[in-house]
Amino acid sequence: MDSWSKYPFLRMLLPLAVGVWCCAVFPDFQISVTLLLVTMVALLAMAFVATFFVRRYRLRWLFGGIMACYLLVAGYALTSAHQASVHKDYFRNYESEADYYVARVFDYPAERENSMKVVLELQSQYSDSLPSRQVSGKVMAYFQKTDEAMQLAYGDLVVIPAPVGEVPAPANPGEFDYRNYLIRKGVTGQVFLRDDDWIDLQANEANPLYAFSYRFRDILLASLNRCGLQGDEFGVAAAILLGYDDDLADEVRQNYVAAGSMHILCVSGMHVGIIFLLASALLSFLNRKKWMKILKQVLLLVLIWFYAMIAGLSPSILRSALMISFVIVGDILQRKGFAINSIAASAFVLLCVNPYNLFEIGFELSYAAVIGIVVLQRPIYGWFCFKNKVADKIWEITAVAIAAQLATIPFTLFYFNQFTSYFWLSNLFMTPISFIVILSGMVLLLVSWIPFVNTLVGYVVWGAVYVMNYLVSLVESMPFSIIKGLYVSEFEFFLLLIVFVLILVFAKVKEDEVTKREQHLVIATLSVLLLFVGSLSLRIYSSERQDVMMVYSLRNHTAVDCVSGKEHVLFADSTLMADNSTVDYSLTGGWAKMGLPMRPECIDLYADFENAFVKKQANLLSYKGTLLAFWDEERLSDSLSYRIPVDFMLVTGKQKPDVVSMMRGYDIGKLLIDGSVPAYLAEKWKQQADEVGLPIYCLSNGALELK
């Protein structure tokens, strides 16, 4: 097996990543900056002593161990420094003194159906009675969609009112943790702004470099539009060529996900590689003299990073740009490195710039895929040998797809609870077609100003994208194209990562023909897999014995889920199951965690239903000794001489608050206010319930789980 000495950046990356993980995962356990700095200085001093005074061979590990501890502490310190709340001028520290804020548009505004989604960087706060104060922090702002809001651009200064709201925690079990997602991007608040809530200061404080890249990208997007690309073809071409996916339709995006080809829509290594090869060929006339070669390499570096900027500087393109930059610099210095070391070096740099990159799904998938391809593609390719050149090429492409898929399986299972079955088939034709799209697209961007030529090349791009979209939709329509509900816990995810690492090490050992280590690695891999199967079996055993009634917290929807073992019946309003975005965002994660079908038996709120464990008649729902009633004033009868005893009364929609009438017909254990009830009506319900001493719970605070 190759010596560790060949991978210095890998040895540096691992402790740095552990330090980043420790700081981010345990936010309640914070270490002071002073203590961190003292520890780092002490470790450096110990490393100095170990270098110059400890000369014994058997203690050669001492320096490496001390530096690993130093990098671990450095990773912790870097992550702590990136947390908004540790800064003295953090806006939450002085929020009670603020009447309004001056904020800068921090990123490219994203257009939504009814709003403009904008990240704002707070710069200062003002009060009618106190002096102004400089503050820091980012908030997610949703501007009412007006002509003025749509004119917002990166760097614009605006005035917004105080206070800024908190980002709510997940309201339902297994729901995507949007709050944590924003916190790791430095965004710690959100605000909804109507047309008259904010003021445009008609000033701009943009970073010139970013402002130029955004303007240039807009010019290129307009060029694509002008050359005949419209609709879905424009959305896909813009995503592939420029990393701009705001115009990508949800249906098209889902097709690519189901086909296992979503990576095609992310600007990554293939794009940078094509740019590099194309530019290198165009600049080949500079290969005559040594100084001209150096000039060529410098021009290639500038071009690659310029493309990375207009493509949005996503983790995948940053990784690719950094890796190819190391190759170019190595060529200038006449040194060749190892691929794994270059990959680790790019990850090390990105974590030093922003430690929270470690938790970006794109970052994790990108690095896992490229490591899988580099290490596993050759062993997989060696499984079969084809004399026919076409068959051999097909198998080579398939081997790349299998290697990337094997490497990313732990992440797709953990984050998305799903597996794409036909990734090998879609990538078989997607790889060559996407190559044509990228190459012709780059040519189109270069000739977009030349009449007739741009139209001709535009037709080539349009045709290639159209074929690609058609084939992807064809794969998506195949049975079992995407298998959902494959939940793995955090512990099981950790075990899968260990298996992945052991497979990588085994591949390297096999390549170096170190037979003795192969046996140890096989035993270790099987042991970890046995632990994984044991954890999975225990979870399945528990899920088969679960009895849960769940009243979900959904905005504008009502849903009550009755679970018995691995079956469940969902009582919901007629529009919920057609609202795929709400179901996928709020419900499917919990269903996967509980081992339930992703498409349950769905019963309308007004329909009667009965099976072995739940019965619904009129507005009453009975589940294993628990009785829940849906409030409907029209069903209230004065002819009954007694009050119907119910454990829970669920209020939905815009019904007029009338607790007195409700209690005249029902003996209620607890009143539940659904997420479909407007806030002003929910407050009135609460006031009336408090007056009569009726316990009340608002589902806007989170789902109610009854085991």
Side-chain angles (χ1 to χ4, degrees), residues 6-7 323 327 337-346 370-371 374-375:
K6 295 181 180 179
Y7 310 109
M323 282 183 61
V327 172
F338 296 93
I340 293 294
N341 195 54
S342 297
I343 295 168
S346 65
V370 75
I371 290 172
V374 168
V375 179

Side-chain angles (χ1 to χ4, degrees), residues 437-512:
V437 172
I438 295 169
L439 192 59
S440 59
M442 295 303 169
V443 174
L444 177 61
L445 295 176
L446 290 174
V447 302
S448 60
W449 55 278
I450 305 176
F452 303 110
V453 176
N454 58 8
T455 304
L456 181 62
V457 179
Y459 276 122
V460 174
V461 178
W462 178 88
V465 174
Y466 179 84
V467 170
M468 194 162 63
N469 287 349
Y470 173 75
L471 292 174
V472 164
S473 65
L474 201 62
V475 172
E476 190 274 338
S477 64
M478 295 171 66
F480 306 108
S481 61
I482 184 167
I483 303 173
K484 296 186 176 183
L486 303 176
Y487 174 80
V488 294
S489 66
E490 291 185 0
F491 176 67
E492 291 161 355
F493 172 59
F494 177 69
L495 293 177
L496 287 177
L497 288 182
I498 293 176
V499 170
F500 172 51
V501 172
L502 289 172
I503 290 173
L504 294 178
V505 176
F506 181 83
K508 294 298 292 180
V509 167
K510 192 77 173 175
E511 183 181 315
D512 297 337

Side-chain angles (χ1 to χ4, degrees), residues 491-559:
F491 176 67
E492 291 161 355
F493 172 59
F494 177 69
L495 293 177
L496 287 177
L497 288 182
I498 293 176
V499 170
F500 172 51
V501 172
L502 289 172
I503 290 173
L504 294 178
V505 176
F506 181 83
K508 294 298 292 180
V509 167
K510 192 77 173 175
E511 183 181 315
D512 297 337
E513 299 181 352
V514 185
T515 309
K516 290 182 179 179
R517 291 184 180 177
E518 289 181 23
Q519 296 177 347
H520 297 151
L521 288 169
V522 169
I523 292 172
T525 304
L526 292 176
S527 300
V528 177
L529 283 175
L530 187 62
L531 272 176
F532 175 80
V533 172
S535 175
L536 192 64
S537 301
L538 183 62
R539 193 158 44 77
I540 292 174
Y541 176 81
S542 299
S543 66
E544 288 176 346
R545 285 156 178 76
Q546 62 191 351
D547 291 310
V548 181
M549 174 186 276
M550 189 81 67
V551 187
Y552 290 112
S553 173
L554 301 173
R555 189 180 180 186
N556 302 324
H557 291 293
T558 300

Side-chain angles (χ1 to χ4, degrees), residues 177-238:
D177 194 343
Y178 186 59
R179 179 175 65 176
N180 198 37
Y181 168 79
L182 289 181
I183 287 174
R184 287 176 174 171
K185 289 181 172 294
V187 179
T188 55
Q190 69 176 8
V191 60
F192 299 88
L193 301 169
R194 295 187 299 271
D195 184 31
D196 55 351
D197 285 340
W198 62 283
I199 301 172
D200 188 348
L201 293 179
Q202 302 296 321
N204 188 282
E205 292 184 3
N207 180 307
L209 204 57
Y210 278 97
F212 172 75
S213 70
Y214 286 139
R215 283 198 296 270
F216 193 73
R217 186 173 69 176
D218 286 342
I219 292 171
L220 295 178
L221 288 171
S223 299
L224 291 177
N225 226 317
R226 193 169 57 250
C227 295
L229 291 170
Q230 305 287 337
D232 291 343
E233 286 71 34
F234 171 79
V236 171

